[in-house]
Amino acid sequence: MKTAVVPVIWIICVALLPAWLVAPALSMDEPGLSLGLLAGWLGMGMIAASLLLMVREPLWASWFGGLQRMYQWHHAMGVVGYLLLLAHPLLLAYHYLQLDAEIAWEYLSPFNPQATNSLGWAALLIFTLGLAVTFVSRLPYGLWRRLHVSLAVAMGLGLGHAWFVSGFSNSLWMVVLLTIVSVGWRLLRADRGMGARPYEVSQVYHPAAHITETILKPLAKPLLVAPGQFVSAAFFEGPYFQGCGDFHPYTVSQVAEDGSLTLSIKALGACTQHIQSLQPGVAVRLQGPYGTFLLNRPVASEVWIAAGIGLTPFLALLRSQSVMQQTDLIYVHRESEHIPYQSELQRFAIEQKHLTFYSLTMETDPSPLFAWLEKIDRLNEKQVYLCGPPPLMLKTTQWLQQHGVPRQQIHFEQFDFR
Ligand SMILES: Cc1cc2nc3c(=O)[nH]c(=O)nc-3n(C[C@H](O)[C@H](O)[C@H](O)COP(=O)(O)OP(=O)(O)OC[C@H]3O[C@@H](n4cnc5c(N)ncnc54)[C@H](O)[C@@H]3O)c2cc1C
């Protein structure tokens, strides 16, 4: 789904506000100084507004075209804000250099012990480190997240720098307010789970040795989840079960009429390993629903490519209704026997006349998948939906585009937020 234009314009206006408030006081007689100050406030505004885009509120996320689309804007605005903050001392240096090189150095030197300098340079340094790790996808997720959160410290130091320079200006108030509201909202509602609903594990199955399927019964008003959407779930302690406490995203693989939700969880890291020993009676909290992956699909023939546990959104759709248009489901997995969900999918293919099902055992080399795709008649006219590990999705998307499938006909769900 595309990002709606209105929310993007809105968030950019919010980002521009601190600079707009300060602009009337700037003089174009000193362009370096004015542009330097403007770059500083634009940078702070961009980063403060980007924090509003890390709030995991379902309605808010759907306004931006889904949580993942919103996170893309969060990252893009963060990077633009950082570049503007880098330009801030450079433009000021340009201004002061025209007066006197020594004054310029003294004014801007990171070794100048004045609080303004120390705070400004410390903020820039932590922003640089925090943003650099954002792009390191191989870091363990927990470490990556903690380092990413260090950007909040950089923000605090940057605000301290601005306060030492100009006191409590309207621009500063605005940035402080945005930061406190966004960080507080995210911490309390999402990370602490105040926005989550209580559920209880009612049943647990194991469709394969490393997959746990669990039915979660609502203990209050159930979440209204459409097939293909995902929730953020935290499993708590049970008598013989060690919960992970923190929230992880999982696609709902079945929605029952009484509001119970089924999750199918594959062991990947520490938390999902624990979940393999889940037991009925364990308390769960769920937030959501999020995601727009299989919602509002155009009426056209479809190809679904599900890799491993990336089957879950398609499973949810097939479990909820029969497909109405010609659909080729290619299920890629590593197993050659005891393939999870294989018999259920075969049954759907017999019962649903528009569904064709292929099961493909494959390792990391995607050639067998591409060989199957080549056999599909008029592939370039179809809508293609993919869900699976990011490297496979990237290679498949590139292959599809090289084979004439327009980018706007390729849709995917990433099982990763970085
Ligand atoms: C939209 C979405 C839908 C998903 N649906 C399913 C599903 O139906 N079934 C399933 O088995 N898995 C699903 N996942 C993946 C699942 O969230 C991860 O496997 C799980 O969070 C791993 O946690 P861990 O501690 O076991 O492993 P870790 O080793 O901590 O993490 C392994 C990887 O999982 C991702 N991850 C870990 N923690 C988080 C988090 N809190 N938020 C976002 N990503 C995280 C990171 O990419 C990380 O590299 C989905 C992920 C996303 C983003």
Side-chain angles (χ1 to χ4, degrees), residues 127-350:
F127 266 131
T128 308
L129 293 175
L131 269 181
V133 298
T134 302
F135 296 101
V136 185
S137 56
R138 280 167 191 268
L139 275 183
Y141 186 80
L143 177 64
W144 173 86
R145 216 180 128 171
R146 276 193 289 280
L147 290 168
H148 195 63
V149 168
S150 71
L151 291 173
V153 177
M155 192 68 183
L157 294 169
L159 290 171
H161 164 80
W163 178 66
F164 268 102
V165 174
S166 55
F168 276 117
S169 60
N170 286 340
S171 305
L172 184 63
W173 274 120
M174 164 109 205
V175 175
V176 169
L177 197 72
L178 279 175
T179 308
I180 291 176
V181 169
S182 319
V183 175
W185 194 349
R186 166 63 194 251
L187 280 178
L188 296 176
R189 297 264 310 160
D191 298 340
R192 290 261 148 216
M194 284 169 70
R197 306 247 178 112
Y199 280 73
E200 186 184 79
V201 173
S202 67
Q203 289 179 50
V204 179
Y205 314 100
H206 294 281
H210 50 283
I211 298 179
T212 292
E213 184 155 305
T214 174
I215 300 182
L216 310 177
K217 191 178 72 178
L219 300 179
K221 198 173 162 216
L223 296 175
L224 293 175
V225 183
Q229 289 194 296
F230 64 95
V231 291
S232 194
F235 291 83
F236 295 92
E237 305 290 318
Y240 305 102
F241 170 71
Q242 188 190 347
C244 356
D246 55 337
F247 285 85
H248 289 250
Y250 304 105
T251 304
V252 172
S253 59
Q254 186 161 10
V255 184
E257 275 181 11
D258 68 351
S260 293
L261 302 176
T262 305
L263 303 182
S264 310
I265 301 175
K266 182 175 176 178
L268 197 68
C271 179
T272 45
Q273 284 287 358
H274 286 310
I275 288 173
Q276 304 309 308
S277 54
L278 191 65
Q279 291 171 318
V282 165
V284 188
R285 289 189 79 83
L286 296 185
Q287 295 167 38
Y290 304 107
T292 54
F293 179 47
L294 294 176
L295 305 183
N296 308 319
R297 297 171 357 258
V299 181
S301 299
E302 297 180 350
V303 175
W304 296 353
I305 302 169
I309 200 64
L311 178 68
T312 47
F314 304 111
L315 200 56
L317 199 59
L318 290 172
R319 282 172 169 178
S320 72
Q321 64 195 71
S322 294
V323 288
M324 301 306 284
Q325 50 260 47
Q326 179 52 44
T327 304
D328 293 294
L329 164 60
I330 307 174
Y331 177 33
V332 179
H333 47 79
R334 286 171 191 254
E335 291 85 355
S336 46
E337 48 189 36
H338 306 301
I339 301 157
Y341 302 108
Q342 171 108 325
S343 49
E344 188 179 357
L345 295 170
Q346 281 169 337
R347 186 166 48 79
F348 285 137
I350 293 167

Side-chain angles (χ1 to χ4, degrees), residues 349-389:
I350 293 167
E351 289 168 1
Q352 302 190 20
K353 62 177 179 175
H354 296 302
L355 179 70
T356 317
F357 168 57
Y358 311 99
S359 172
L360 204 57
T361 303
M362 196 179 89
E363 289 299 323
T364 43
D365 174 17
S367 324
L369 169 63
F370 298 161
W372 263 111
L373 288 171
E374 257 171 2
K375 286 192 221 161
I376 295 177
D377 193 27
R378 290 190 288 184
L379 179 65
N380 59 345
E381 291 173 17
K382 311 224 172 197
Q383 298 288 329
V384 185
Y385 295 85
L386 305 109
C387 188

